[in-house]
């Protein structure tokens, strides 16, 4: 029972840190001890490692989607026209 509770608490701890670990955000860095603790947990917990794999796939997919997509010139022009109308005409499109 104690091991189950310990695992549950560790999983909750790990879940709150997965995106921070994956993003490697310089403004929200993990210290070495937390990084090692999370990596050790991911090596032994199937549920958390599966969640990490899902986050990794999602992150890669989003990065690829934004890198490969550029808006077409006509869409950008329409948005600019609308913004001009909203600002010049006092908010009336």
């Amino acid at each position: 029972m104690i091991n189950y509770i310990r695992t549950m608490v560790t999983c909750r701890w790990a879940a709150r840190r997965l995106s921070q670990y994956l993003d490697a955000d310089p403004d929200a860095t993990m210290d070495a001890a937390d990084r090692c603790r999370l990596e050790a947990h991911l090596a032994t917990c199937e549920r958390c490692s599966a969640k990490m794999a899902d986050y990794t796939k999602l992150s890669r997919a989003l990065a690829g989607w934004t890198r490969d997509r550029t808006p077409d010139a006509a869409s950008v022009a329409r948005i600019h026209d609308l913004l001009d109308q909203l600002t010049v005409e006092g908010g009336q499109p």
Side-chain angles (χ1 to χ4, degrees), residues 36-85:
C36 287
R37 180 179 173 194
L38 180 61
E39 289 170 351
H41 179 71
L42 292 172
T44 60
C45 180
E46 289 182 32
R47 190 171 125 206
C48 289
S49 62
K51 189 176 288 191
M52 182 64 156
D54 289 343
Y55 283 164
T56 302
K57 288 177 190 175
L58 178 61
S59 179
R60 287 182 184 154
L62 289 173
W65 183 78
T66 57
R67 182 183 58 244
D68 298 338
R69 305 283 194 262
T70 56
D72 66 290
S75 295
V76 172
R78 283 194 306 271
I79 291 170
H80 280 273
D81 289 343
L82 177 62
L83 290 173
D84 287 342
Q85 289 175 8

